[in-house]
Amino acid sequence: MRAECPECVAEITLPANTLESEIIACPDCGAELEVVGLNPPTLALAPEVEEDWGE
């Protein structure tokens, strides 16, 4: 499977066992990407992890 990095538009080859919601890193720009769809393979920038401060 191949998908496009939304940050740098590089073509990324995804492993066959890739799951939806999986986080991967772009090998070109290093951006953290979330797999948001598998048919067709679609990537989006991963959400930033935020502190919850015990809430």
Side-chain angles (χ1 to χ4, degrees), residues 2 36-42:
R2 293 185 177 274
V36 294
L38 294 175
N39 191 13
T42 309

Side-chain angles (χ1 to χ4, degrees), residues 3-40:
E4 190 175 272
C5 174
E7 186 73 13
C8 71
V9 196
E11 190 170 292
I12 300 171
T13 301
L14 303 173
N17 62 347
T18 300
L19 302 173
E20 201 166 311
S21 301
E22 191 170 333
I23 303 295
I24 61 168
C26 176
D28 285 4
C29 70
E32 287 192 348
L33 306 171
E34 179 179 5
V35 179
V36 294
L38 294 175
N39 191 13

